[in-house]
Amino acid sequence: MRIDIVSIFPAYFDALELSLLGKARQRGLLDVAVHDLRDVTTDKHRTVDDKPAGGGAGMVMKAEPWGLVLDKILSESPTVATDAEPLIIFPSPAGEVFNQGMARELAGEAHLIFGCGRYEGIDQRVFDEYAERGRVKLVSIGDYVLNGGEVASIAMIEAIARLLPGMVGNPESLVEESHEGESGLLEYPSYTQPAVWRGREVPPVLLSGNHKKVAEWRHAQRIERTRRVRPDLLPPEADQGSVGTQRELQN
Ligand code: 6GU
């Protein structure tokens, strides 16, 4: 997969060199390029923003630099000779909310472009232009406000990159975790040695050697935890108490 990122703070993306992401890049599964939006400006002050048309607080990112940088990235897309088409993602609190399902879909793309806006946003005509010419998606990472799309892009890229084929050593570790496998229940709590730490025991069932009991305990823990902190994730049939023994397990 090819990922291009456009930002006025390219240093944010130094984080992508680390750990899992660095590994994906070393293995050649992921080719990431970061572009400084100011590099396409031609004025002395490298201006990328201006006052909002119609007045109001804050500044709006100008269309022209975005047009120049996106045209260049699109013209050099590795998809030009294929039937794949690049997807431009603009992180925005006004977008569709990112989740594991979207991460899985995006992991199947050949070329993603993340356009990180700052200030009060980007001139609407940029979205309109590229939506007319290709595929554009506004994506939010949750119901809170960040100062720009950089941190949101890093979160999305990490979620996507770890799903690329060839990324994770043990494929089971992907299936078991929260939001994957077992119909989207949260993960069960994990323990390791020692068996007692500061007077706190590892649940004895985990040391029993009884694999069936362990699996049942973990399943019950997942349901209890999901019911307590994320009841919105429970499948409909679990709502009325038909899954496990949620009354005994509560709190
Ligand atoms: Cl994608 N961008 C910004 N600026 N704020 C956000 C967000 C994105 N997702 C949640 N809040």
Side-chain angles (χ1 to χ4, degrees):
M1 172 185 283
R2 165 78 180 193
I3 295 182
D4 287 278
I5 303 162
V6 181
S7 166
I8 57 167
F9 295 114
Y12 266 102
F13 299 95
D14 290 353
L16 295 180
E17 305 289 341
L18 300 171
S19 72
L20 199 74
L21 274 272
K23 210 172 289 173
R25 298 174 75 175
Q26 281 163 26
R27 290 183 192 179
L29 304 172
L30 189 58
D31 176 19
V32 180
V34 184
H35 309 265
D36 187 338
L37 182 66
R38 292 192 198 277
D39 287 351
V40 300
T41 59
T42 51
D43 64 308
K44 192 172 77 180
H45 300 291
R46 313 223 300 159
T47 308
V48 293
D49 64 326
D50 207 335
K51 289 176 291 190
M59 298 288 266
V60 176
M61 292 188 112
K62 294 163 67 65
E64 187 59 16
W66 280 103
L68 291 171
V69 73
L70 291 174
D71 283 354
K72 179 150 197 294
I73 291 168
L74 290 172
S75 73
E76 294 169 1
S77 174
T79 65
V80 284
T82 72
D83 57 358
E85 217 193 332
L87 173 62
I88 306 179
I89 295 172
F90 290 105
S92 164
E96 184 185 341
V97 177
F98 186 78
N99 61 17
Q100 192 63 23
M102 197 188 294
R104 233 177 279 121
E105 279 176 25
L106 295 177
E109 295 281 343
H111 186 191
L112 298 177
I113 301 164
F114 287 86
C116 303
R118 281 263 147 183
Y119 313 108
E120 309 307 309
I122 302 171
D123 190 310
Q124 178 63 35
R125 293 169 291 183
V126 175
F127 308 121
D128 299 344
E129 165 82 1
Y130 291 94
E132 201 174 287
R133 284 170 46 182
R135 295 190 297 147
V136 168
K137 215 173 165 73
L138 269 63
V139 183
S140 166
I141 61 163
D143 293 337
Y144 42 84
V145 178
L146 304 170
N147 280 332
E150 284 78 7
V151 168
S153 292
I154 291 170
M156 289 189 268
I157 291 166
E158 181 160 318
I160 294 162
R162 60 191 293 286
L163 299 177
L164 295 175
M167 257 316 287
V168 175
N170 172 14
E172 276 181 27
S173 70
L174 276 184
V175 175
E176 286 228 335
E177 72 196 29
S178 299
H179 306 304
E180 290 282 346
E182 247 199 288
S183 64
L185 297 175
L186 300 183
E187 182 58 292
Y188 51 79
S190 296
Y191 300 83
T192 184
Q193 302 279 20
V196 183
W197 176 73
R198 297 189 181 177
R200 299 170 188 275
E201 293 184 357
V202 171
V205 62
L206 298 180
L207 307 176
S208 68
N210 184 331
H211 299 305
K212 183 158 178 281
K213 282 264 159 58
V214 169
E216 284 167 1
W217 181 87
R218 286 177 170 167
H219 180 68
Q221 289 289 316
R222 298 186 69 176
I223 291 164
E224 185 279 324
R225 185 180 258 187
T226 307
R227 190 180 301 279
R228 181 161 39 87
V229 302
R230 292 295 305 279
D232 57 300
L233 295 179
L234 285 173
E237 72 272 19
D239 281 347
Q240 305 308 317
S242 62
V243 175
T245 52
Q246 84 291 348
R247 280 286 152 241
E248 305 145 49
L249 289 168
Q250 213 123 42
N251 300 309

